[in-house]
Each structure stands twice: as structure tokens, then as C-alpha cells.
Amino acid sequence: MTYETSIDLSAHVRKASVALLQARLSDALDLEAQAKQAHWNVRGRHFLQLHGLFDAVHGQVEEFVDLLAERITTLGHVADGRVQTTAGATTLYEYPLAAHGGDAHIRALAASLALFGKAVRAAIDSAAGDATTADLFTQISRESDKQLWLLEAHLLAD
């Protein structure tokens, strides 16, 4: 389904951008759920710090979700955030239900965040013809890298 828009991008460019945005939206929704999975289930000596860190990552990824979905609708299409769509379309690693302890959750979330960042960077180049969407992906890439840095900083030896 599409909606009328006066944005001066051709229907072809809008459709291509929406495909990129929707793919990353599915990944971002999965990543958002993975961050909450870590937040809810972390245990161990650094519980309080990691509990807060995972919640902060979740909050940032929630902003990605909004940015991606709103760009899709701005381009005159319907953003599909349904659980069924997300489960079928995500390209991220499945979060390990058996993860316990801080390092296991950090590694699992960091792996998916790194994969998300890689896909977002690829989308920057693929958004040719739509500089605004490419810029949105650049913004998300920059913040994804920062969140990955914050996670991985906890894995360094003391």
C-alpha cells in the first residue's frame, strides 16, 4: 500500500529506499527485543551496571526503529513492524536463550549490533538517489558504532 506524497523523488527511488528501510526496520525491531532480553536476564557481579547499559542500548535502538519507520511513511509507504514480519525478515543472529552472566549477554548483543551496523553501512551506499535516506542510515551507523563500543568496552581485561 502506498500513499500520495509530494516528495520530489521518483516512485522507483522511493520504492528502493523503502525496501532498504524496511529490511533495517525488521533488524532494528529484533535488536530492540534482544537488548531487552539481555536487560531482563543478566545476572552476575556487574548486574546493576549491565542492567542499565542494556536498557540504554534498548532506548537507542528504539530511536532507530522510529527513525526508520517514520522515513518509510514519509516516503508514502506503510512501515511493517509486525512481529511475524520481523521474525521472518531479520538478518540478525538469534539471541541465545541460554545466555547467562554479563559477558555472555554482552557478546550476544554485541554480535547482533555489529551485524546490524554492517547492514546499515551497506544501506548507505545502496540508497543512491535518496540522499536523505542515506543520511538517516549514516546517523544510525554512527550511533550503532557508539553503542557497540560501549558494549565491547566491558569485555576488555582489567
Side-chain angles (χ1 to χ4, degrees), residues 5 18 21 25 27 34-35 37 46 52 59-60 63 67 72 78 92 130-132 134 137 143 148 153:
T5 179
V18 166
L21 290 158
L25 175 60
D27 287 348
Q34 289 189 29
Q37 185 72 19
H46 301 289
Q60 185 58 61
E63 289 183 31
L67 289 169
I72 291 168
V78 174
L92 302 185
D130 182 356
T132 304
F137 284 130
E143 191 57 42
L148 183 58

Side-chain angles (χ1 to χ4, degrees), residues 5-155:
T5 179
S6 298
I7 291 177
D8 64 339
L9 296 171
S10 71
H12 174 74
V13 169
R14 286 195 319 267
K15 184 177 180 182
S17 289
V18 166
L20 292 169
L21 290 158
Q22 182 61 54
R24 300 297 63 85
L25 175 60
S26 292
D27 287 348
L29 286 163
D30 184 11
L31 187 59
E32 184 181 22
Q34 289 189 29
K36 273 301 183 186
Q37 185 72 19
H39 170 79
W40 294 325
N41 292 291
V42 68
R43 301 285 183 271
R45 190 166 31 122
H46 301 289
F47 164 79
L48 193 57
Q49 183 181 17
L50 293 177
H51 186 72
L53 174 63
F54 297 147
D55 205 34
V57 170
H58 171 270
Q60 185 58 61
V61 175
E62 187 174 42
E63 289 183 31
F64 300 162
V65 167
D66 240 19
L67 289 169
L68 292 161
E70 288 173 358
R71 181 67 182 156
I72 291 168
T73 60
T74 297
L75 292 173
H77 290 254
V78 174
D80 188 351
R82 296 173 298 167
V83 171
Q84 299 85 347
T85 300
T86 299
T90 186
T91 63
L92 302 185
Y93 301 114
E94 183 175 346
Y95 199 88
L97 195 56
H100 85 269
D103 282 0
H105 285 289
I106 292 169
R107 289 181 200 288
L109 190 54
S112 284
L113 186 56
L115 193 57
F116 176 75
K118 181 179 180 180
V120 168
R121 272 186 289 287
I124 294 167
D125 294 332
S126 297
D130 182 356
T132 304
T133 295
D135 185 56
L136 182 141
F137 284 130
T138 300
Q139 175 185 354
I140 292 172
S141 174
R142 183 174 30 260
E143 191 57 42
S144 294
D145 289 350
K146 180 181 175 185
Q147 296 302 312
L148 183 58
W149 168 65
L150 292 171
L151 286 171
E152 291 179 336
H154 289 270
L155 296 175

